[in-house]
Amino acid sequence: MKTNIQVAIDGPASAGKSTIAKIIAKNLSYIYVDTGAMYRTITLAAINAGLINLDGDASEISDVAIQQLLQATQITFKPSDDGQLVFLNEQDVSEEIRQSHVNNLVSLIAAIPTVRRDLVERQRIIANENNVIMDGRDIGTTVLPHAAVKIFLVASVAERAQRRYRENQLKGIDTKITLAEIEASIERRDYLDSHREVSPLTQASDAILVDTTGVTINDVVNEITTIINNKIK
Ligand code: CDP
Ligand code: CDP
């Protein structure tokens, strides 16, 4: 039986996971799986279905409603020139899932055990069929515990906020949101992600810590590519 190669990249918000994972996936011809986009898409579906209001109280949502939502929600990735498009059923939601209304609620929806069970299953199906580089919060600990390579990517919160602020200005997403607000929102999300009961954000015992503070994208790509090459040769 052919075994697929699995690379897991976890870490807090805006550490550079998706940027690095996309480049390496392209270089190695692996499938890139953006699990954060999956949680973001379910969150948008929950908002659209009126299951959660923008003040956010996920404890009000019944498990039956969440199960129905999950059943009705197809999440598809399609390659595009500047990366990857994300579809909620037939609708291109690539931009909307990065906006603040989704940012503010995603960690609440992602903490619901039924949501995690469902999405983890979808992620494992993709990983069983392809060589993958998958990024998220619980890939090395829960989704792919036997991944050949596990990276835990971090950077200082100040630098992560700067990066996300610059990215928003460049892409025209939530351009009125200040740097201080972005930093607060990232810290809140990191806190919720690290303190939830089911598969919280934490470094797997066999993951390699890579600190990208002050390190260029190119240098991080080279460092992780070397780690992968050494592991799989
Ligand atoms: O891009 P950024 O790091 O800001 O976030 P993301 O990777 O798109 O993930 C958005 C949110 O989804 C996270 O803050 C987590 O609440 C949740 N998430 C998760 O719980 N588990 C994952 N494997 C991936 C994301
Ligand atoms: O996926 P994650 O939330 O961990 O981060 P990202 O979306 O890949 O990166 C957030 C921003 O940081 C992007 O605009 C990247 O271009 C930038 N970045 C950087 O400036 N230097 C790095 N070493 C890594 C990412």
Side-chain angles (χ1 to χ4, degrees), residues 104-179:
N104 293 339
L105 297 177
V106 62
S107 293
L108 303 178
I109 297 291
I112 300 172
T114 305
V115 171
R116 301 206 71 80
R117 217 174 300 122
D118 183 288
L119 293 189
V120 167
E121 199 178 311
R122 297 188 203 200
Q123 291 154 14
R124 287 185 179 145
I125 289 171
I126 305 172
N128 281 339
E129 292 169 355
N130 305 279
N131 290 336
V132 289
I133 179 156
M134 190 177 282
D135 82 336
R137 302 292 187 286
D138 60 340
I139 312 305
T141 54
T142 305
V143 183
L144 306 175
H146 304 297
V149 179
K150 296 182 187 178
I151 304 290
F152 198 74
L153 208 61
V154 297
S156 73
V157 69
E159 179 152 339
R160 291 189 283 122
Q162 279 278 2
R163 289 177 184 173
R164 190 51 56 90
Y165 179 77
R166 261 201 318 266
E167 185 181 8
N168 282 358
Q169 298 300 320
L170 223 87
K171 292 186 177 167
I173 301 172
D174 290 328
T175 49
K176 293 204 173 73
I177 297 184
T178 64
L179 178 61

Side-chain angles (χ1 to χ4, degrees), residues 5-221:
I5 297 165
Q6 302 174 338
V7 178
I9 303 193
D10 291 299
S14 218
K17 300 180 297 297
S18 64
T19 306
I20 306 303
K22 262 183 229 164
I23 298 171
I24 297 179
K26 197 167 175 201
N27 291 347
L28 299 180
S29 299
Y30 289 8
I31 301 281
Y32 165 56
V33 188
D34 179 354
T35 65
M38 299 172 83
Y39 288 95
R40 287 173 179 275
T41 303
I42 290 294
T43 302
L44 180 61
I47 296 170
N48 291 346
L51 292 187
I52 188 163
N53 60 40
L54 296 184
D55 298 332
D57 185 0
S59 62
E60 302 275 298
I61 308 177
S62 79
D63 214 46
V64 172
I66 274 290
Q67 276 175 31
Q68 283 171 350
L69 184 79
L70 287 160
Q71 267 165 26
T73 307
Q74 259 193 18
I75 304 167
T76 326
F77 295 109
K78 293 188 184 162
S80 76
D81 289 344
D82 54 352
Q84 205 170 51
L85 297 175
V86 187
F87 285 76
L88 191 179
N89 298 329
E90 302 303 311
Q91 190 195 353
D92 181 353
V93 293
S94 317
E95 283 187 16
E96 191 174 2
I97 59 169
R98 309 281 162 202
Q99 291 173 356
S100 58
H101 59 299
V102 176
N103 273 333
N104 293 339
L105 297 177
V106 62
S107 293
L108 303 178
I109 297 291
I112 300 172
T114 305
V115 171
R116 301 206 71 80
R117 217 174 300 122
D118 183 288
L119 293 189
V120 167
E121 199 178 311
R122 297 188 203 200
Q123 291 154 14
R124 287 185 179 145
I125 289 171
I126 305 172
N128 281 339
E129 292 169 355
N130 305 279
N131 290 336
V132 289
I133 179 156
M134 190 177 282
D135 82 336
R137 302 292 187 286
D138 60 340
I139 312 305
T141 54
T142 305
V143 183
L144 306 175
H146 304 297
V149 179
K150 296 182 187 178
I151 304 290
F152 198 74
L153 208 61
V154 297
S156 73
V157 69
E159 179 152 339
R160 291 189 283 122
Q162 279 278 2
R163 289 177 184 173
R164 190 51 56 90
Y165 179 77
R166 261 201 318 266
E167 185 181 8
N168 282 358
Q169 298 300 320
L170 223 87
K171 292 186 177 167
I173 301 172
D174 290 328
T175 49
K176 293 204 173 73
I177 297 184
T178 64
L179 178 61
E181 285 166 335
I182 289 186
E183 187 164 326
S185 149
I186 284 181
E187 281 185 318
R188 174 178 169 270
R189 213 144 47 83
D190 287 350
Y191 181 86
L192 290 171
D193 292 343
S194 311
H195 289 83
R196 67 176 173 234
E197 275 184 30
V198 187
S199 49
L201 166 67
T202 181
Q203 183 179 349
S205 56
D206 52 350
I208 298 170
L209 182 73
V210 176
D211 188 342
T212 75
T213 312
V215 188
T216 65
I217 293 171
N218 216 1
D219 285 348
V220 182
V221 167

